[in-house]
Structure formats: structure tokens, C-alpha cells
Amino acid sequence: MNCLLETREETQVLLDYCARALSAPGAALVEAHLQSCPRCQEFAAAQKNLSEALDLWQAPEVSLDFNRRLYQRIDAEAAQGSWWKSLLPQFERGPFQPTLWRRGLPVAVAACLLVTVGIVLERPGKSPNSAPKDMAQIESIQPEQVEQALDTMDLLSEFSHHVRTEGQESKL
Amino acid sequence: MVERVKDDMGGAAAALDFDAELMLRVKEGDGASFGVLLEKHRSSVIHFLYRMVQNHAVAEELAQEAFLRVYRSRVTYEPTAKFTTWLFRIATHLALNALRDGKNERSQERLDDDSSDMPVRQVSDLRPSVEQSMVYQAKLAEIRSAIAALPEKQRAAVLMHKYEEMEYSQIAKVLGCSESAVKSLLFRAYETLRARLAHMA
Ligand SMILES: [Zn+2]
């Protein structure tokens, strides 16, 4: 086997080996080469050191109120009768209502109970009367929301296009 | 419903992408499924964003926006690819915009003050000496600074590859480039990082 550092493609194989992304036979080939090549040994050791150094950087814990804040924003938009409701013909009174009604009242009642318990647990500080307060906390401005929606829709269609193109390429 | 997931993802991936299935349920009005998706991916998205912008508050703000966009887009959602690819594409887009808008200036301040980011176990379990703690903080500052100095796309690629353990194909779809472009981004990024952090061995 030629030295893996001679071409970028083969160095990539060595990087994959270091990231433990090679199959067992691939890894065995690299290991065999490593035993006789000090340059590759040095490269692999440097990459291993880098990987261990990067492992030192732990991300902080997610804030306890992250979900509550997000649901508050979703509720606020829903309560506002927000602009995007017009995009949702099936969206009537609440985000989760239509499906519940389609599945029948008993299922809806049971699900509502579960959701309510979930909401109470998830949002300990929120009282049933807090809706007006939530509404008062609406942060978004309409033009900004429209811009964001268009942005996301662009992203979505651009993304779908990209994925389809990739799919076609890979079939070729 | 899984059969509705289009072939673009590849047969095996499509069958396994339970997330896309959940998102289709959200599309039909099932809020509980959104909660499941949130729980499942919240940490990885926030951690990725945190390492991109290097500011916890900004990262959470952007993650909120990312999940809000997912929720808002549910009616138009089509499972043309893995859900996480779409989610990380939104997150990356937001992070790059935030960096370009100058929110990274706040993150630069944080580079000098990351005591609150020290993993809890470093403090409570191992009880490092002041000296060890200082060495750790110095190393951390160097790592963060080296990552922050990478060009945006290289940074995003490294963070997805190293910390989220994403495959080249998925990173390529998130970044909207080819797999070979991703390999090239990673090659250059790791080369830079090895050179900058070599003395930490
Ligand atoms: Zn070699």
C-alpha cells in the first residue's frame, strides 16, 4: 500500500479511520499500513489529539424553561389569530384541535387530559388565566413574520429542489 | 404513513426516519408529535448553535426560532429528506445569519468569560485544583477561538461531523453542496485545527 498521505483521497481515508467511520476491513487495511509508516502514525496521532481536545468542549445544559418559552411563542401566535392561520385551512381554534375531533370525542377528551397534564408539568408557572398575559408577550411584528415565513418556504423549496437534484445525480 | 416518505432519502433511510413520520402527524394537527420531535432534537440543535455562535443565550434564541419555523412550516412540510437534515439546514441558516448580523460580537465577549460553560462534572466530581481549572479554561479558550476562526462553512461542517456525528451526505444536504465539497471543507478545517491546537497534545 502506498503512503496514505500521498493523495488527498487517501488522506481522507485516514481521517475516516481516525473518526472510526471505516468498515472493519477498511480499518484493518489502514492499521496494517500504520504499522509500517511513521508519517501516517504521526498524522493519525495528531488527529487523535485534536479529536480529544475538541471533546473537552462541552456545551452547556439546555435552559429548563426552553420548552415553556417556545410553547408560549406558539400559543401567542395562535392566540393572535396570526397571519399564518390563513395558510392553514384545517387550523381552526387551536393548534391540535382538528385531529382530535376527527378521531372522535372520547379520544379527544382523553388526549386533552394528557395534553393538559403535559402542559401543567411543562409550564409550572402558567395559570389557566394566563392567556391574556401570553398574548401581551407577542414579540413578533407582522412584516417580520411574513419575511421569516417566506424565508423558511424558500429554504424548504430550495432544499427540496436540492435533494431532488442530488437524487437524480446519484441515480446517474 | 412511512411509505409516504419519498424515495429521495433512499429506501433504508426513509423506512427509518421516524422523525418524518412524526412531522407528518404534526402536519395533521397532532401537537404531541411536535413535543416528541422537540425533546428528541432540542439538545443537539442548541449545542450545534451554541458552538456556531459561542453564546448560550443567542444559541437558545436561534433554536427557538428554528423550532418555531419547523412548527410554522408543518402545513407545507413534505418528507423529501431526513427531518434532521431539514432541521439542521434551518438552524445553520439562522446561525450564519446571526453571525453576519454581528451577534458573534457578543460571542467574542463570551470567549473571555466561559466559566459558566465548564462542565459540571469538572467542578463537582473531579474537584480540580485552581491550577487545573485554569489550564482547562485556557485550553477551552484556545479550542473555542480556533473553531471561531474557521470560515463559517468549515466551522459548520466540523461541528456537524465531530459533535453531531453526521455523515458526509447529510452534511452536504444541510450545507447545500456536494459530498466532495464537504470532504474538502473538513480536510481544510481539520488541517487548520491540527496546526493550531497541536501543542495541546
Ligand atoms: Zn503512510
Side-chain angles (χ1 to χ4, degrees):
Chain A
M1 187 190 258
N2 291 330
C3 181
L4 296 172
L5 299 177
E6 277 173 16
T7 67
R8 186 175 268 214
E9 286 71 27
E10 287 190 312
T11 310
Q12 189 66 50
V13 173
L14 190 50
L15 280 172
D16 287 341
Y17 168 79
C18 295
R20 294 184 186 146
L22 287 186
S23 63
L29 279 174
V30 173
E31 273 160 15
H33 174 71
L34 279 174
Q35 286 186 343
S36 61
C37 181
R39 278 182 71 214
C40 284
Q41 279 172 21
E42 195 184 333
F43 181 96
Q47 185 63 19
K48 185 169 170 272
N49 284 336
L50 171 64
S51 183
E52 285 171 0
L54 295 178
D55 284 337
L56 284 178
W57 189 17
Q58 302 284 317
E61 293 292 315
V62 177
S63 300
L64 290 174
D65 66 344
F66 182 86
N67 285 13
R68 185 180 55 78
R69 284 187 283 133
L70 177 62
Y71 286 131
Q72 239 169 19
R73 289 179 70 179
I74 289 175
D75 282 353
E77 287 192 1
Q80 193 187 26
S82 57
W83 57 272
W84 51 276
K85 268 191 184 178
S86 60
L87 298 172
L88 320 176
Q90 81 274 33
F91 193 109
E92 287 162 14
R93 277 182 283 176
F96 315 136
Q97 228 165 5
T99 307
L100 296 180
W101 283 109
R102 276 207 299 276
R103 287 178 186 171
L105 196 58
V107 179
V109 170
C112 280
L113 277 172
L114 278 171
V115 169
T116 309
V117 169
I119 289 169
V120 168
L121 289 173
E122 191 65 50
R123 297 180 248 187
K126 184 172 175 173
S127 75
N129 298 328
S130 62
K133 191 177 157 228
D134 288 350
M135 286 172 71
Q137 288 175 340
I138 294 165
E139 303 161 28
S140 325
I141 318 159
Q142 267 196 338
E144 192 181 87
Q145 287 181 326
V146 173
E147 194 187 320
Q148 283 173 357
L150 293 173
D151 213 12
T152 308
M153 284 163 80
D154 277 354
L155 205 62
L156 200 61
S157 60
E158 185 197 326
F159 181 59
S160 303
H161 173 76
H162 174 73
V163 168
R164 287 195 189 101
T165 314
E166 286 259 312
Q168 282 158 6
E169 277 171 10
S170 63
K171 279 173 200 157
L172 291 176
Chain B
M1 197 185 287
V2 174
E3 296 76 47
R4 285 166 51 185
V5 175
K6 291 179 185 168
D7 278 338
D8 296 10
M9 279 195 275
L16 290 173
D17 198 20
F18 181 55
D19 295 338
E21 163 83 5
L22 286 169
M23 194 57 204
L24 287 169
R25 288 186 198 160
V26 178
K27 184 177 183 175
E28 291 179 355
D30 178 13
S33 292
F34 180 75
V36 175
L37 284 168
L38 178 62
E39 279 307 308
K40 200 172 164 195
H41 301 295
R42 192 183 62 165
S43 295
S44 57
V45 169
I46 296 173
H47 292 170
F48 167 71
L49 287 166
Y50 167 71
R51 291 185 174 106
M52 276 299 285
V53 300
Q54 303 209 10
N55 178 300
H56 192 208
V58 173
E60 289 207 350
E61 195 182 302
L62 296 174
Q64 293 251 328
E65 187 57 39
F67 281 107
L68 204 56
R69 287 187 185 200
V70 165
Y71 189 74
R72 283 178 193 150
S73 308
R74 68 197 183 286
V75 270
T76 49
Y77 176 76
E78 289 297 334
T80 48
K82 271 182 87 170
F83 172 78
T84 47
T85 306
W86 179 48
L87 178 61
F88 271 82
R89 190 160 162 85
I90 295 174
T92 304
H93 179 76
L94 290 167
L96 296 180
N97 280 348
L99 290 167
R100 285 162 198 166
D101 289 350
K103 285 188 179 173
N104 60 325
E105 284 164 21
R106 282 157 71 186
S107 77
Q108 290 303 316
E109 288 164 25
R110 295 270 302 165
L111 283 174
D112 300 326
D113 174 27
D114 51 8
S115 51
S116 60
D117 297 340
M118 195 172 178
V120 175
R121 65 171 182 274
Q122 293 278 342
V123 176
S124 58
D125 302 344
L126 301 177
R127 297 185 189 281
S129 65
V130 174
E131 192 188 347
Q132 282 173 317
S133 178
M134 282 171 72
V135 170
Y136 171 81
Q137 293 296 344
K139 280 184 175 180
L140 204 54
E142 277 196 72
I143 294 163
R144 292 173 61 156
S145 165
I147 295 271
L150 290 173
E152 289 167 351
K153 269 197 165 182
Q154 285 187 31
R155 191 187 325 175
V158 161
L159 298 181
M160 283 186 269
H161 184 251
K162 166 65 190 164
Y163 295 103
E164 307 308 323
E165 298 183 342
M166 281 188 194
E167 291 179 1
Y168 300 130
S169 58
Q170 191 175 8
I171 299 171
K173 282 173 187 162
V174 171
L175 295 179
C177 59
S178 65
E179 267 187 61
S180 59
V182 167
K183 285 182 182 176
S184 176
L185 285 172
L186 287 170
F187 191 93
R188 282 179 281 142
Y190 283 132
E191 196 168 46
T192 307
L193 292 173
R194 275 195 309 275
R196 255 194 94 152
L197 303 173
H199 61 283
M200 285 178 66

